[in-house]
Amino acid sequence: MATAPRANELRHLDPAVIGRIGSLELRARTIVEGFLIGLHRSPYQGFSVEFSEYRQYMPGDDTSLIDWKLYARTDRHYVKKFEEETNLDCHLLLDVSGSMGYGSAGVTKQEYGTYLAASIAYLMNRQRDAVGLLAFDEQVVRHVPASARPGHLRRVLLTLDSLASGRGSDVSKPLNRLAEALSRRGLVVLISDLLDEPEHVVRGLRHLRFRGADVIVFQLLDRAELTFPFERPARFRDLETDDEVAAVPPLVRAHYLRELRTLLALYRRELRLAGIDYCLVDTSQPLDLALLAYLSARSRRH
Protein backbone atom coordinates (compact mmCIF):
# COMPACT_ATOMS: atom_id res chain seq x y z
CA MET A 1 0.00 0.00 0.00
CA ALA A 2 1.27 3.49 -0.89
CA THR A 3 2.27 5.69 2.00
CA ALA A 4 2.33 9.44 2.42
CA PRO A 5 5.62 11.29 1.87
CA ARG A 6 7.99 11.19 4.84
CA ALA A 7 9.13 14.34 6.59
CA ASN A 8 12.66 14.05 5.20
CA GLU A 9 11.20 13.99 1.68
CA LEU A 10 9.06 17.08 2.27
CA ARG A 11 12.09 19.07 3.43
CA HIS A 12 12.70 19.75 -0.28
CA LEU A 13 9.38 21.62 -0.32
CA ASP A 14 9.96 23.66 2.85
CA PRO A 15 10.01 27.31 1.74
CA ALA A 16 12.71 28.18 4.29
CA VAL A 17 14.98 25.46 2.85
CA ILE A 18 14.18 26.43 -0.75
CA GLY A 19 15.23 30.00 0.00
CA ARG A 20 18.81 28.84 0.66
CA ILE A 21 19.21 27.24 -2.79
CA GLY A 22 21.06 29.23 -5.45
CA SER A 23 19.18 30.13 -8.63
CA LEU A 24 15.41 30.20 -9.08
CA GLU A 25 15.72 27.62 -11.85
CA LEU A 26 17.45 25.23 -9.43
CA ARG A 27 14.83 25.99 -6.77
CA ALA A 28 11.99 25.20 -9.17
CA ARG A 29 13.60 21.93 -10.25
CA THR A 30 14.26 20.94 -6.62
CA ILE A 31 10.65 21.69 -5.63
CA VAL A 32 9.12 19.82 -8.56
CA GLU A 33 11.37 16.78 -8.29
CA GLY A 34 10.82 16.59 -4.53
CA PHE A 35 7.10 16.92 -5.11
CA LEU A 36 7.06 14.11 -7.68
CA ILE A 37 9.01 11.84 -5.34
CA GLY A 38 6.32 12.46 -2.73
CA LEU A 39 3.55 11.75 -5.25
CA HIS A 40 5.07 8.42 -6.24
CA ARG A 41 5.06 7.36 -2.56
CA SER A 42 1.59 8.65 -1.77
CA PRO A 43 -2.04 7.80 -2.62
CA TYR A 44 -1.93 10.67 -5.14
CA GLN A 45 0.53 9.10 -7.53
CA GLY A 46 -2.09 9.21 -10.31
CA PHE A 47 -1.54 12.98 -10.49
CA SER A 48 2.12 12.58 -11.37
CA VAL A 49 3.38 14.49 -14.37
CA GLU A 50 4.50 11.09 -15.63
CA PHE A 51 0.84 10.75 -16.68
CA SER A 52 0.61 14.15 -18.37
CA GLU A 53 -0.30 12.53 -21.68
CA TYR A 54 -3.14 10.57 -20.07
CA ARG A 55 -6.42 11.32 -18.37
CA GLN A 56 -8.73 9.16 -16.31
CA TYR A 57 -11.23 7.00 -18.19
CA MET A 58 -14.74 8.45 -18.37
CA PRO A 59 -17.99 6.66 -19.29
CA GLY A 60 -18.37 6.71 -23.07
CA ASP A 61 -14.64 6.48 -23.81
CA ASP A 62 -13.50 3.71 -26.13
CA THR A 63 -12.28 0.93 -23.80
CA SER A 64 -9.63 -0.01 -26.36
CA LEU A 65 -7.84 3.24 -25.46
CA ILE A 66 -7.27 2.16 -21.83
CA ASP A 67 -3.60 1.74 -20.97
CA TRP A 68 -3.61 -1.56 -19.09
CA LYS A 69 0.03 -1.23 -18.04
CA LEU A 70 -0.81 1.96 -16.18
CA TYR A 71 -3.85 0.21 -14.70
CA ALA A 72 -1.59 -2.56 -13.34
CA ARG A 73 0.64 0.05 -11.67
CA THR A 74 -2.01 2.42 -10.33
CA ASP A 75 -5.25 0.39 -10.13
CA ARG A 76 -6.89 3.21 -12.09
CA HIS A 77 -8.11 3.41 -15.66
CA TYR A 78 -6.31 5.93 -17.89
CA VAL A 79 -6.73 6.67 -21.59
CA LYS A 80 -4.36 8.44 -23.95
CA LYS A 81 -5.23 12.10 -24.48
CA PHE A 82 -5.90 13.38 -27.95
CA GLU A 83 -3.68 16.22 -29.20
CA GLU A 84 -6.32 18.90 -28.63
CA GLU A 85 -6.53 17.87 -24.97
CA THR A 86 -2.82 18.33 -24.28
CA ASN A 87 -2.07 21.86 -25.50
CA LEU A 88 -2.81 24.58 -22.97
CA ASP A 89 -1.94 28.21 -22.38
CA CYS A 90 -1.29 28.92 -18.70
CA HIS A 91 -1.12 32.52 -17.47
CA LEU A 92 0.52 33.01 -14.08
CA LEU A 93 -0.57 36.20 -12.27
CA LEU A 94 1.69 37.09 -9.35
CA ASP A 95 0.91 39.86 -6.85
CA VAL A 96 4.03 41.86 -5.92
CA SER A 97 2.27 44.64 -3.97
CA GLY A 98 3.67 45.89 -0.67
CA SER A 99 1.61 43.55 1.52
CA MET A 100 3.18 40.55 -0.22
CA GLY A 101 6.51 41.60 1.30
CA TYR A 102 5.40 40.51 4.77
CA GLY A 103 6.94 37.44 6.34
CA SER A 104 7.08 36.54 10.03
CA ALA A 105 9.25 33.43 9.72
CA GLY A 106 11.98 34.23 7.21
CA VAL A 107 9.99 33.74 3.99
CA THR A 108 7.79 36.52 2.66
CA LYS A 109 4.54 35.92 0.85
CA GLN A 110 6.12 37.21 -2.34
CA GLU A 111 9.03 34.79 -2.03
CA TYR A 112 6.63 31.89 -1.46
CA GLY A 113 4.52 33.06 -4.41
CA THR A 114 7.62 33.23 -6.59
CA TYR A 115 8.57 29.65 -5.69
CA LEU A 116 5.02 28.47 -6.40
CA ALA A 117 4.83 30.30 -9.74
CA ALA A 118 8.26 28.98 -10.77
CA SER A 119 7.25 25.42 -9.85
CA ILE A 120 4.03 25.60 -11.86
CA ALA A 121 5.95 27.05 -14.81
CA TYR A 122 8.41 24.16 -14.53
CA LEU A 123 5.54 21.65 -14.46
CA MET A 124 3.91 23.30 -17.48
CA ASN A 125 7.18 23.12 -19.37
CA ARG A 126 7.49 19.41 -18.60
CA GLN A 127 3.99 18.93 -20.00
CA ARG A 128 4.87 20.89 -23.17
CA ASP A 129 2.24 23.53 -22.43
CA ALA A 130 2.63 27.26 -22.95
CA VAL A 131 3.19 29.42 -19.90
CA GLY A 132 3.18 33.18 -19.43
CA LEU A 133 3.64 35.58 -16.51
CA LEU A 134 1.94 38.79 -15.46
CA ALA A 135 3.26 40.50 -12.31
CA PHE A 136 1.34 43.39 -10.75
CA ASP A 137 0.87 45.70 -7.82
CA GLU A 138 -1.53 48.59 -8.51
CA GLN A 139 -0.32 48.41 -12.10
CA VAL A 140 0.91 45.63 -14.36
CA VAL A 141 4.69 45.79 -13.83
CA ARG A 142 5.93 42.88 -15.99
CA HIS A 143 4.28 40.80 -18.69
CA VAL A 144 5.72 37.75 -20.44
CA PRO A 145 3.25 36.36 -23.03
CA ALA A 146 2.51 32.63 -22.92
CA SER A 147 4.77 30.46 -25.07
CA ALA A 148 6.07 26.90 -25.23
CA ARG A 149 9.15 27.70 -27.33
CA PRO A 150 12.57 26.39 -26.27
CA GLY A 151 14.21 28.74 -23.79
CA HIS A 152 10.93 30.38 -22.78
CA LEU A 153 10.91 28.77 -19.31
CA ARG A 154 14.23 30.42 -18.55
CA ARG A 155 12.78 33.80 -19.58
CA VAL A 156 9.84 33.32 -17.20
CA LEU A 157 12.13 32.27 -14.34
CA LEU A 158 14.55 35.15 -14.90
CA THR A 159 11.62 37.58 -14.86
CA LEU A 160 10.29 36.06 -11.63
CA ASP A 161 13.72 36.31 -10.05
CA SER A 162 14.05 40.00 -10.91
CA LEU A 163 10.74 41.20 -9.45
CA ALA A 164 10.89 43.83 -6.72
CA SER A 165 8.15 44.52 -4.20
CA GLY A 166 5.75 47.27 -5.21
CA ARG A 167 3.46 49.47 -3.19
CA GLY A 168 -0.31 49.65 -3.54
CA SER A 169 -2.55 46.82 -4.72
CA ASP A 170 -5.25 46.55 -7.36
CA VAL A 171 -5.92 42.88 -8.11
CA SER A 172 -8.85 43.60 -10.41
CA LYS A 173 -6.76 45.57 -12.95
CA PRO A 174 -4.60 42.67 -14.26
CA LEU A 175 -7.59 40.33 -14.16
CA ASN A 176 -9.62 42.58 -16.44
CA ARG A 177 -6.65 43.33 -18.69
CA LEU A 178 -5.92 39.64 -19.19
CA ALA A 179 -9.61 38.81 -19.72
CA GLU A 180 -9.82 41.30 -22.57
CA ALA A 181 -6.59 40.00 -24.13
CA LEU A 182 -7.45 36.28 -24.10
CA SER A 183 -7.67 34.92 -27.63
CA ARG A 184 -8.45 31.34 -26.67
CA ARG A 185 -9.44 29.34 -23.65
CA GLY A 186 -6.67 28.66 -21.21
CA LEU A 187 -5.75 28.38 -17.56
CA VAL A 188 -5.23 31.39 -15.29
CA VAL A 189 -3.43 30.93 -11.96
CA LEU A 190 -3.71 33.89 -9.59
CA ILE A 191 -1.21 34.00 -6.71
CA SER A 192 -1.98 36.78 -4.23
CA ASP A 193 -2.83 37.52 -0.61
CA LEU A 194 -6.10 39.04 -1.93
CA LEU A 195 -5.86 41.86 0.62
CA ASP A 196 -7.88 44.14 -1.61
CA GLU A 197 -11.53 45.05 -2.08
CA PRO A 198 -13.08 41.56 -2.34
CA GLU A 199 -15.97 42.71 -4.54
CA HIS A 200 -13.51 44.04 -7.14
CA VAL A 201 -11.41 40.88 -6.99
CA VAL A 202 -14.40 38.57 -7.42
CA ARG A 203 -15.77 40.69 -10.28
CA GLY A 204 -12.42 40.49 -12.10
CA LEU A 205 -12.22 36.71 -11.64
CA ARG A 206 -15.78 36.30 -12.93
CA HIS A 207 -14.76 38.32 -15.99
CA LEU A 208 -12.05 35.73 -16.72
CA ARG A 209 -14.55 32.90 -16.35
CA PHE A 210 -16.98 34.70 -18.66
CA ARG A 211 -14.20 34.83 -21.26
CA GLY A 212 -13.86 31.05 -21.03
CA ALA A 213 -10.75 30.73 -18.87
CA ASP A 214 -10.31 28.07 -16.20
CA VAL A 215 -9.15 29.82 -13.04
CA ILE A 216 -7.23 28.67 -9.97
CA VAL A 217 -6.72 31.11 -7.07
CA PHE A 218 -4.03 30.69 -4.43
CA GLN A 219 -4.55 33.06 -1.50
CA LEU A 220 -1.22 33.28 0.35
CA LEU A 221 -1.27 34.36 3.98
CA ASP A 222 1.48 34.34 6.58
CA ARG A 223 1.00 32.21 9.69
CA ALA A 224 0.96 35.37 11.83
CA GLU A 225 -1.81 36.83 9.66
CA LEU A 226 -3.83 33.66 10.14
CA THR A 227 -3.39 33.40 13.91
CA PHE A 228 -2.49 36.93 15.15
CA PRO A 229 -0.12 35.55 17.82
CA PHE A 230 1.15 38.92 19.06
CA GLU A 231 1.00 39.69 22.79
CA ARG A 232 2.70 43.00 23.55
CA PRO A 233 1.22 46.43 22.70
CA ALA A 234 2.61 47.53 19.36
CA ARG A 235 2.15 49.77 16.35
CA PHE A 236 1.14 47.90 13.20
CA ARG A 237 2.19 49.46 9.88
CA ASP A 238 0.44 49.06 6.53
CA LEU A 239 3.16 48.01 4.07
CA GLU A 240 1.34 49.67 1.18
CA THR A 241 0.33 53.03 2.67
CA ASP A 242 2.70 53.35 5.68
CA ASP A 243 -0.33 54.09 7.87
CA GLU A 244 0.12 52.93 11.46
CA VAL A 245 -2.32 51.88 14.16
CA ALA A 246 -1.56 51.22 17.83
CA ALA A 247 -3.16 48.12 19.34
CA VAL A 248 -3.06 45.79 22.34
CA PRO A 249 -3.18 42.39 20.58
CA PRO A 250 -5.04 40.38 23.28
CA LEU A 251 -7.84 42.96 23.20
CA VAL A 252 -8.31 42.99 19.42
CA ARG A 253 -7.43 39.39 18.52
CA ALA A 254 -10.99 38.04 18.60
CA HIS A 255 -12.28 40.88 16.42
CA TYR A 256 -9.39 40.51 13.96
CA LEU A 257 -9.87 36.75 13.59
CA ARG A 258 -13.62 37.17 13.16
CA GLU A 259 -13.09 39.69 10.34
CA LEU A 260 -10.51 37.41 8.73
CA ARG A 261 -12.88 34.43 8.82
CA THR A 262 -15.57 36.57 7.19
CA LEU A 263 -13.21 37.59 4.39
CA LEU A 264 -12.01 34.03 3.74
CA ALA A 265 -15.56 32.68 3.76
CA LEU A 266 -16.59 35.33 1.23
CA TYR A 267 -13.82 34.34 -1.18
CA ARG A 268 -14.48 30.64 -0.69
CA ARG A 269 -18.23 31.01 -1.29
CA GLU A 270 -18.17 33.47 -4.20
CA LEU A 271 -15.38 31.74 -6.10
CA ARG A 272 -17.01 28.33 -5.72
CA LEU A 273 -20.26 29.74 -7.10
CA ALA A 274 -18.31 31.16 -10.05
CA GLY A 275 -16.73 27.77 -10.83
CA ILE A 276 -13.27 28.90 -9.71
CA ASP A 277 -10.86 26.71 -7.74
CA TYR A 278 -9.77 28.39 -4.50
CA CYS A 279 -6.90 27.34 -2.24
CA LEU A 280 -5.89 29.09 0.99
CA VAL A 281 -2.15 28.67 1.57
CA ASP A 282 -0.27 29.11 4.85
CA THR A 283 3.19 30.24 3.70
CA SER A 284 4.89 28.46 6.60
CA GLN A 285 3.84 25.12 5.10
CA PRO A 286 5.63 23.08 2.40
CA LEU A 287 4.61 23.69 -1.20
CA ASP A 288 3.29 20.17 -1.84
CA LEU A 289 -0.33 20.94 -0.91
CA ALA A 290 -0.43 23.96 -3.20
CA LEU A 291 1.05 21.97 -6.10
CA LEU A 292 -1.35 19.10 -5.47
CA ALA A 293 -4.26 21.56 -5.51
CA TYR A 294 -2.98 22.85 -8.86
CA LEU A 295 -2.77 19.36 -10.38
CA SER A 296 -6.18 18.41 -8.95
CA ALA A 297 -7.80 21.47 -10.51
CA ARG A 298 -5.98 20.80 -13.76
CA SER A 299 -7.28 17.22 -13.87
CA ARG A 300 -10.86 18.39 -13.36
CA ARG A 301 -10.54 20.52 -16.47
CA HIS A 302 -11.18 17.38 -18.56
Side-chain angles (χ1 to χ4, degrees):
M1 180 178 295
T3 59
R6 295 189 296 269
N8 65 327
E9 292 160 355
L10 291 181
R11 73 182 188 279
H12 300 297
L13 303 170
D14 185 327
V17 173
I18 293 299
R20 295 197 292 268
I21 299 174
S23 69
L24 184 59
E25 183 173 3
L26 181 57
R27 292 173 189 174
R29 185 165 71 246
T30 300
I31 292 167
V32 170
E33 290 178 355
F35 173 64
L36 295 180
I37 289 172
L39 282 185
H40 281 296
R41 302 188 182 205
S42 78
Y44 303 109
Q45 60 179 327
F47 286 125
S48 173
V49 180
E50 178 182 37
F51 306 129
S52 63
E53 295 182 358
Y54 295 83
R55 62 169 170 78
Q56 285 191 297
Y57 172 84
M58 295 186 295
D61 286 335
D62 186 344
T63 56
S64 66
L65 298 177
I66 294 176
D67 189 311
W68 296 105
K69 291 182 179 179
L70 275 182
Y71 173 76
R73 293 170 55 191
T74 67
D75 199 31
R76 298 176 184 176
H77 294 99
Y78 288 92
V79 298
K80 186 79 171 181
K81 290 182 184 177
F82 293 102
E83 184 64 26
E84 60 267 22
E85 292 183 284
T86 61
N87 299 124
L88 177 73
D89 284 355
C90 176
H91 306 274
L92 300 170
L93 274 63
L94 178 63
D95 186 349
V96 295
S97 61
S99 63
M100 290 289 286
Y102 180 71
S104 65
V107 176
T108 68
K109 290 179 286 185
Q110 183 174 327
E111 288 170 333
Y112 192 102
T114 298
Y115 304 157
L116 178 56
S119 302
I120 293 175
Y122 196 92
L123 281 169
M124 298 296 295
N125 185 69
R126 285 187 59 143
Q127 297 181 176
R128 300 187 300 279
D129 289 325
V131 62
L133 173 68
L134 195 154
F136 66 93
D137 48 21
E138 55 193 350
Q139 302 286 337
V140 174
V141 296
R142 298 292 293 275
H143 183 209
V144 180
S147 175
R149 293 178 180 177
H152 184 72
L153 174 64
R154 174 173 284 272
R155 181 185 175 192
V156 170
L157 295 180
L158 287 174
T159 302
L160 279 169
D161 210 18
S162 67
L163 293 172
S165 293
R167 294 292 291 175
S169 177
D170 187 348
V171 179
S172 64
K173 187 170 292 186
L175 297 177
N176 289 312
R177 171 172 164 174
L178 180 61
E180 293 301 326
L182 288 177
S183 58
R184 68 170 185 161
R185 293 187 63 177
L187 176 67
V188 175
V189 180
L190 173 62
I191 302 172
S192 169
D193 58 13
L194 300 185
L195 298 181
D196 201 345
E197 292 294 334
E199 295 81 6
H200 297 169
V201 176
V202 172
R203 191 179 305 123
L205 289 166
R206 285 175 176 162
H207 190 187
L208 282 168
R209 286 292 293 145
F210 178 77
R211 296 282 292 176
D214 293 303
V215 183
I216 306 173
V217 175
F218 291 100
Q219 183 176 17
L220 309 187
L221 291 176
D222 187 89
R223 173 60 64 87
E225 292 175 318
L226 290 167
T227 62
F228 204 71
F230 312 104
E231 294 295 338
R232 297 180 179 179
R235 299 187 68 86
F236 295 88
R237 180 169 62 90
D238 188 316
L239 294 176
E240 297 183 4
T241 67
D242 284 333
D243 291 342
E244 292 188 354
V245 59
V248 180
L251 299 181
V252 301
R253 182 176 295 114
H255 175 74
Y256 169 87
L257 293 176
R258 183 166 58 250
E259 291 297 312
L260 177 64
R261 286 194 296 269
T262 299
L263 177 67
L264 300 183
L266 184 151
Y267 279 128
R268 191 177 298 111
R269 179 183 66 253
E270 295 300 320
L271 298 187
R272 183 181 68 250
L273 290 173
I276 293 169
D277 289 284
Y278 167 81
C279 181
L280 175 63
V281 178
D282 176 345
T283 57
S284 69
Q285 298 301 303
L287 287 104
D288 60 323
L289 293 179
L291 289 174
L292 183 59
Y294 161 74
L295 288 182
S296 298
R298 173 86 189 264
S299 70
R300 288 194 295 272
R301 179 174 177 269
H302 301 296

